[in-house]
Amino acid sequence: MGSAAELITSAAVRESFEALEKQRELITSCTALWKELSDHFSTLERGLQLRSDSLRSRRQSLDTSTQRALDSLHRREHSIDSSVRHALSKLEGRRLAALHALSSADSTVPDDLPSKLRSLSTKMDPEGFFELLTSKKKEVDILRSELPAALADCVDPAKFVIDAISMVFPIDRRVVKTSNDYGWVCVLILEALVPVLADPELGESRPLVTGVVKVRAKEMADEWKESLEKLGGVEGTKPSSAHAFLQHVVTFGIAVKEDKELYRMLILAFAWRRQMPKLALLLGFEDSMTDMIEELINKGQHLDAINFAYEAGLQDKFPPIPLLKSFLKDSKKTASPISEDRTSPVRTTTYNGGRREQSAIRAVMKCIEDRKLEAEFPLENLQKRLEQLEKARAEKKKSPSTNSPANKRTRANNGGPMPPAKAGRMTNNAYVSSFPAAPTFVRSPSHPTYPAGPYAHVGNGTYGSRSPPAIRDSYGYPAEEMSPHALGTPYLPAPASYPPASFAPAPTSYPSPPMNYPAYGGYSNSLAPVYQQGYYR
């Protein structure tokens, strides 16, 4: 034992422990590397599994859509004969009715609107038909219900409608042109034509349009696209014109794949119109509705997003209640307390902000009623807030204005002697007042300070006066109040400053959704929610 202990020196022991430490570090490193590799391969395996599941799901979806398309093609092929027979039978009946109407000796003009529509349709009088519609804008609800039955009496409804709308669409070809916008008439007629052209077997998915009419409809669509380029793109077109173009494409079934991006831009630019969600689906955007809804939300158009979600059946993915609350929160940010000074530009902006909040609350209440969301979002609090804003607005209207202009010859000290009719002239060509110098008045910080001139010491006007200079209202209305999109706000006179708002440069992005929404609501961006009245009441 002693000899063995002598042989094992301290250096040898130290070397042994160092070797063991290296082995331990190597084992630890190998363990960490093995864990890292294991995690990496597990991640790859999960990614491959997700990709495999996604590809399998897409394949099943494609198989389902392919089978559905094949079934539709077989059904369309087998339904051609019956559809043609049905169309020919209806054509013969319409032809006989038209001949009877034209050869009838009865020249009395019907009094009621439905009979007038049927008479003009039977006689194939597109000009008289269009003029009658333009003169009955206040009876648009009756027109919408009676037009399909009236167009069904035409010998060729598709040709009749094209002849009728061609006077103003795609461009105005009338000899005597007016400033009236008849885009709403075109949309109304084209919508009423859809059920008339529906195939008896396949329905509205296959409109019964002859080849000649379809070619003419395509030429009209191409002409509208050319006029759109001349106007500067989507930003330069009218909402009614864009709506008429999209409805024209849907009605005659002439949508082309190359123009799909144009359709998408028009739909998003005028998403506040109530028919846009349905047109989006009819134009083949079923798979893109999620992206379109998200884009509308990012732009602050929460109410438009709700309408698109309900039309596409995505209200579970985009719950309406959080969107409504977010919209109200954004609209309240833009409305600050009403200023007491009616002459202040800040007061004008904040006063309009209050009106915007009122419009936002009304639009939200209408959306809640239309979507039957009263149980999830009670209307009591909204109604109270609306009453508070209306009461504050009424009180501001009743409060007297503090900027009434002073008369030329006001009495000094409320009943003192009148200033002299004339004042002597001095060598420096300055007027001399018969009264003591007027006291100095401190102007409000919101008004500019005018430089002192040769007449600064004689008060306001030609003659001396103790009255302070009257500060006149500059009528500096904000440009957004004079915007043509702000149709929901009361009429305001044109501003005195130049250039006027009508000469403002065209926007570089999608047009803002306008004020006071129609029945389905309409909304704005998060910066300044505004609303516009739609064409259909």
Side-chain angles (χ1 to χ4, degrees):
M1 291 294 292
S3 61
E6 292 177 356
L7 293 175
I8 301 175
T9 62
S10 60
V13 173
R14 186 169 56 253
E15 290 177 356
S16 298
F17 275 102
E18 289 177 355
L20 289 175
E21 183 67 22
K22 290 180 180 179
Q23 293 294 329
R24 187 185 67 80
E25 292 177 355
L26 181 61
I27 292 173
T28 303
S29 176
C30 291
T31 303
L33 180 60
W34 176 84
K35 185 177 181 181
E36 182 179 352
L37 290 174
S38 178
D39 293 342
H40 177 66
F41 282 110
S42 298
T43 303
L44 291 178
E45 186 178 0
R46 286 195 299 270
L48 290 174
Q49 185 64 33
L50 291 175
R51 280 192 167 189
S52 178
D53 294 341
S54 176
L55 289 174
R56 188 180 298 108
S57 176
R58 291 181 63 184
R59 181 180 177 181
Q60 292 177 356
S61 177
L62 288 174
D63 291 342
T64 303
S65 61
T66 302
Q67 186 62 39
R68 187 166 56 248
L70 290 174
D71 294 341
S72 177
L73 287 175
H74 290 309
R75 185 183 176 189
R76 290 168 70 92
E77 183 179 0
H78 293 304
S79 65
I80 290 177
D81 294 337
S82 61
S83 297
V84 170
R85 287 194 299 269
H86 180 77
L88 290 176
S89 63
K90 292 177 65 176
L91 178 63
E92 183 63 21
R94 293 170 182 172
R95 185 182 69 84
L96 295 176
L99 290 175
H100 176 72
L102 292 173
S103 60
S104 176
D106 187 8
S107 60
T108 58
V109 179
D111 296 332
D112 58 312
L113 182 57
S115 299
K116 289 181 180 179
L117 294 173
R118 288 176 177 270
S119 176
L120 293 172
S121 301
T122 304
K123 295 177 182 178
M124 293 287 288
D125 183 4
E127 295 184 2
F129 186 80
F130 190 85
E131 291 178 0
L132 177 62
L133 293 179
T134 57
S135 64
K136 301 295 182 180
K137 186 175 183 179
K138 295 183 179 180
E139 304 179 42
V140 66
D141 294 332
I142 299 177
L143 294 176
R144 187 178 293 111
S145 61
E146 296 294 337
L147 273 177
L151 293 176
D153 292 340
C154 294
V155 176
D156 190 348
K159 182 180 181 301
F160 177 74
V161 168
I162 280 188
D163 291 339
I165 67 175
S166 61
M167 290 184 285
V168 295
F169 179 85
I171 59 175
D172 196 341
R173 293 185 174 86
R174 293 173 296 170
V175 178
V176 180
K177 298 182 180 180
T178 61
S179 59
N180 295 331
D181 184 7
Y182 292 135
W184 68 272
V185 182
C186 298
V187 173
L188 191 65
I189 301 175
L190 291 168
E191 285 181 342
L193 184 62
V194 172
V196 178
L197 298 181
D199 186 278
E201 296 289 335
L202 302 180
E204 297 178 0
S205 61
R206 182 172 70 180
L208 296 178
V209 183
T210 61
V212 176
V213 173
K214 183 166 289 190
V215 169
R216 187 179 174 190
K218 289 181 178 179
E219 292 175 351
M220 294 174 67
D222 293 338
E223 187 177 359
W224 187 89
K225 288 186 291 184
E226 293 176 1
S227 65
L228 179 66
E229 295 177 358
K230 296 178 181 178
L231 290 173
V234 176
E235 296 83 4
T237 187
K238 294 180 179 180
S240 59
S241 179
H243 189 177
F245 168 74
L246 294 175
Q247 187 64 55
H248 176 83
V249 171
V250 169
T251 300
F252 294 102
I254 56 174
V256 292
K257 186 177 181 180
E258 293 76 11
D259 293 336
K260 198 166 185 179
E261 184 60 27
L262 173 62
Y263 304 152
R264 188 179 188 277
M265 291 173 62
L266 292 172
I267 290 171
L268 290 177
F270 305 104
W272 49 270
R273 297 179 74 88
R274 68 175 190 178
Q275 295 90 343
M276 286 300 167
K278 184 177 181 180
L279 290 176
L281 294 176
L282 294 175
L283 288 169
F285 289 99
E286 299 92 344
D287 299 332
S288 304
M289 290 296 282
T290 299
D291 297 335
M292 297 173 73
I293 293 172
E294 290 177 350
E295 185 171 347
L296 290 173
I297 294 174
N298 293 333
K299 292 166 59 179
Q301 299 175 229
H302 300 79
L303 300 186
D304 292 332
I306 292 174
N307 289 334
F308 274 70
Y310 271 90
E311 190 68 33
L314 299 174
Q315 59 269 27
D316 294 334
K317 187 175 182 180
F318 299 96
I321 301 302
L323 292 176
L324 291 173
K325 292 181 178 179
S326 177
F327 178 74
L328 286 173
K329 183 179 179 181
D330 293 340
S331 65
K332 196 170 183 178
K333 288 181 181 179
T334 63
S336 56
I338 299 174
S339 173
E340 294 293 337
D341 184 9
R342 290 180 177 268
T343 64
S344 172
V346 178
R347 185 261 171 202
T348 306
T349 303
T350 54
Y351 189 67
N352 294 330
R355 291 190 293 183
R356 289 195 192 95
E357 186 180 358
Q358 285 181 299
S359 299
I361 293 174
R362 291 191 182 98
V364 169
M365 294 175 65
K366 182 62 177 175
C367 183
I368 293 173
E369 293 173 355
D370 291 341
R371 303 303 178 186
K372 304 295 187 289
L373 300 173
E374 291 87 347
E376 303 177 54
F377 200 147
L379 299 176
E380 288 77 10
N381 293 335
L382 295 177
Q383 187 64 38
K384 290 180 181 178
R385 176 59 179 167
L386 187 62
E387 291 175 356
Q388 290 176 358
L389 292 172
E390 291 177 349
K391 183 179 180 181
R393 184 178 175 186
E395 290 177 354
K396 294 301 174 183
K397 286 184 177 180
K398 292 179 181 178
S399 61
S401 178
T402 60
N403 64 326
S404 55
N407 295 327
K408 272 190 174 183
R409 300 177 65 192
T410 51
R411 294 180 179 270
N413 296 327
N414 295 328
M418 291 292 293
K422 294 182 181 180
R425 295 179 181 270
M426 296 183 67
T427 56
N428 61 355
N429 200 26
Y431 292 105
V432 179
S433 174
S434 301
F435 299 95
T440 303
F441 296 94
V442 180
R443 293 181 180 273
S444 171
S446 61
H447 298 287
T449 303
Y450 299 97
Y455 311 106
H457 67 286
V458 295
N460 187 34
T462 304
Y463 305 101
S465 173
R466 294 182 182 269
S467 300
I471 303 174
R472 298 185 180 274
D473 191 70
S474 61
Y475 297 99
Y477 297 101
E480 60 185 357
E481 286 301 305
M482 303 306 296
S483 171
H485 294 297
L487 300 181
T489 58
Y491 174 79
L492 295 174
S497 58
Y498 291 91
S502 60
F503 292 97
T508 57
S509 60
Y510 293 150
S512 302
M515 292 184 84
N516 284 345
Y517 281 100
Y520 286 82
Y523 331 95
S524 168
N525 55 36
S526 60
L527 296 179
V530 289
Y531 325 93
Q532 182 177 15
Q533 183 69 27
Y535 276 90
Y536 298 111
R537 294 182 284 272

